[in-house]
Amino acid sequence: MASSRAPRGAVLLIVVLAALVGCSQAVFYIPGVSPQGYSSQTQVPMFVNKLTSAKGLPFTYYSLPFCHPDEAEHEEQDLNIGQILSGDSIETSDYVLVTKRNEYCKIL
């Protein structure tokens, strides 16, 4: 009597392939980060983060002698759980970036 059941190897292969297809959709997702599109000649905000020394000591960006933004413009950014756990300190900067504009040297 002929069996109508599929061989175990084929069923296992189908299950593994289905799992891989389902996982491939989430491979490039980073929690808390979503793509942002900008049109031409649009100002893009630039943020600064902590700096780490060769000995592994972290410093906030503005604890070192860099230009500070005005207090009215200075703000800390909301962080996701991963950034909080890694000790990130993301803050606004005085740098101005504009899409599709080449600038080589600029004084802050």
Side-chain angles (χ1 to χ4, degrees), residues 50-61 63-64 86-89:
K50 66 180 179 188
L51 300 170
T52 305
S53 70
K55 295 182 180 183
L57 300 172
F59 298 95
T60 61
Y61 187 84
S63 68
L64 301 171
S86 68
D88 285 347
S89 175

Side-chain angles (χ1 to χ4, degrees), residues 47-78:
F47 303 104
V48 294
N49 198 352
K50 66 180 179 188
L51 300 170
T52 305
S53 70
K55 295 182 180 183
L57 300 172
F59 298 95
T60 61
Y61 187 84
Y62 291 120
S63 68
L64 301 171
F66 294 112
C67 295
H68 294 256
D70 295 334
E71 285 298 320
E73 297 174 3
H74 180 76
E75 61 183 62
E76 290 191 17
Q77 299 300 305
D78 293 331

Side-chain angles (χ1 to χ4, degrees), residues 14-53:
I14 291 170
V15 169
V16 169
L17 288 175
L20 288 175
V21 169
C23 291
S24 69
Q25 299 297 320
V27 170
F28 297 107
Y29 175 70
I30 300 172
V33 177
S34 60
Q36 176 77 31
Y38 295 97
S39 58
S40 184
Q41 302 301 315
T42 303
Q43 186 171 336
V44 179
M46 183 172 173
F47 303 104
V48 294
N49 198 352
K50 66 180 179 188
L51 300 170
T52 305
S53 70

